[in-house]
Amino acid sequence: TKFSHVIIRRPGKSLSNGITSAPELGQPIYERAIEEHYDYEHALELCGVDVTVLPALEEYPDSCFVEDPAVITRCGAIITNPGADSRNGEKNEIEPVVRRFFDDEHVKHIVSPGTLDGGDVMMVGDHFYVGRSARTNEEGIRQFFEILEGWGLEGSEVPLEEVLHLKTGVNYIEDNNMLVSGEFIEKEDFAQYNKIVVPEEEAYGANCIWVNGTVIVAEGYPTVLKAVQDLGYKTLVVDTSEYRKVDGGLSCLSLRF
Ligand code: CIR
């Protein structure tokens, strides 16, 4: 795998009204969130990708989490049908951007009653693990696999019990290495990988991203950082604490392809 492009979208002031499962963390502070976003963009540039930066969309508080309304594979792009009502319209905003990179026959759609969030999709080479979650339903997964099969790719379903999205708790950093936390530590689906077990108190840190040999790790998760460095990866650390307040992390903030 090698990525050439990354798409990100600036957060808006409405980010403070993003969906959250952790209101006790407080609302994101816009001024800090935008600083963190610049740092994130800079880290991606250091990984040698071309970064497309989209403008904020105040009408969609969670729209900086561009990973959810689209899934981009090496064979084509899938515009999803996001499972949260307040986010569903984000698919119409991301589609024209995705079409800058793919022609008509390489852009497919998940349609109602199927729903799917990109945060539930984890790419491991040509295999795609898809979490069945509160956002991603059985019909969405069925459509997704049908599209993949048309492109000679394949997928398998992973039922979720605790986390919002699949990649909230499990992330592949290439070379057979997988960061696992919580409910994913013992799952049979991932038994074949070299698992890096993330301790409960650092669970949020499991959401790392691999970009062309470098692993970007969230700031404040020393066990995760050391484990990734011990595997021989170059690392970059980015503070995503404002996004954490609305359940967002490193992977959700970009589309990488
Ligand atoms: C949401 O609940 O949809 C946003 N507040 C967070 C989305 C995080 N996205 C992701 O994990 N892919």
Side-chain angles (χ1 to χ4, degrees):
T1 307
K2 165 110 172 73
F3 296 126
S4 319
H5 300 286
V6 171
I7 297 171
I8 62 176
R9 184 184 294 284
R10 295 278 183 237
K13 297 194 173 65
S14 62
L15 177 67
S16 54
N17 301 318
I19 306 170
T20 186
S21 64
E24 70 278 6
L25 296 177
Q27 290 184 320
I29 296 161
Y30 172 74
E31 289 72 17
R32 286 195 206 150
I34 201 87
E35 286 303 323
E36 292 179 359
H37 209 258
Y38 292 140
D39 291 345
Y40 181 69
E41 176 187 355
H42 183 60
L44 290 166
E45 280 165 356
L46 291 174
C47 298
V49 288
D50 170 66
V51 183
T52 298
V53 184
L54 306 174
L57 291 171
E58 293 296 348
E59 58 274 48
Y60 295 109
D62 288 297
S63 57
C64 59
F65 302 119
V66 285
E67 176 177 74
D68 295 314
V71 174
I72 305 187
T73 75
R74 67 174 180 83
C75 300
I78 299 166
I79 305 300
T80 72
N81 192 25
D85 286 344
S86 69
R87 301 201 58 189
N88 190 261
E90 292 177 31
K91 65 189 180 196
N92 305 317
E93 304 288 341
I94 204 74
E95 178 158 352
V97 182
V98 167
R99 286 186 182 278
R100 293 182 205 166
F101 299 93
F102 295 92
D103 57 30
D104 288 354
E105 66 205 270
H106 295 102
V107 179
K108 305 284 185 193
H109 297 85
I110 302 297
V111 294
S112 296
T115 63
L116 187 136
D117 274 15
D120 277 318
V121 178
M122 178 172 68
M123 179 177 77
V124 178
D126 283 348
H127 188 92
F128 293 75
Y129 291 94
V130 184
R132 185 156 157 192
S133 68
R135 303 282 178 88
T136 298
N137 66 16
E138 186 179 8
E139 172 60 12
I141 296 174
R142 190 197 65 73
Q143 292 176 22
F144 188 77
F145 289 169
E146 195 170 86
I147 297 165
L148 289 182
E149 278 157 28
W151 289 337
L153 306 171
E154 52 155 45
S156 58
E157 177 182 322
V158 184
L160 306 190
E161 280 124 48
E162 290 158 23
V163 293
L164 170 65
H165 284 127
L166 179 68
K167 282 184 289 190
T168 310
V170 54
N171 287 269
Y172 186 60
I173 53 171
E174 303 293 318
D175 310 302
N176 206 46
N177 295 318
M178 198 167 273
L179 287 156
V180 289
S181 70
E183 63 185 288
F184 302 104
I185 296 170
E186 300 298 339
K187 274 216 202 300
E188 213 26 60
D189 310 66
F190 307 123
Q192 59 186 295
Y193 300 100
N194 176 41
K195 289 188 277 186
I196 300 103
V197 176
V198 175
E200 192 53 44
E201 66 277 14
E202 290 193 25
Y204 175 82
N207 186 247
C208 293
I209 52 172
W210 177 97
V211 188
N212 299 341
T214 296
V215 177
I216 305 180
V217 182
E219 187 176 297
Y221 302 89
T223 312
V224 175
L225 182 63
K226 182 169 187 309
V228 172
Q229 288 174 338
D230 286 349
L231 288 167
Y233 292 103
K234 282 187 285 179
T235 53
L236 289 170
V237 174
V238 176
D239 186 4
T240 56
S241 52
E242 294 308 311
Y243 300 94
R244 181 181 176 217
K245 295 172 178 176
V246 283
D247 299 331
L250 289 164
S251 76
C252 336
L253 286 166
S254 60
L255 283 165
R256 305 162 297 279
F257 56 104

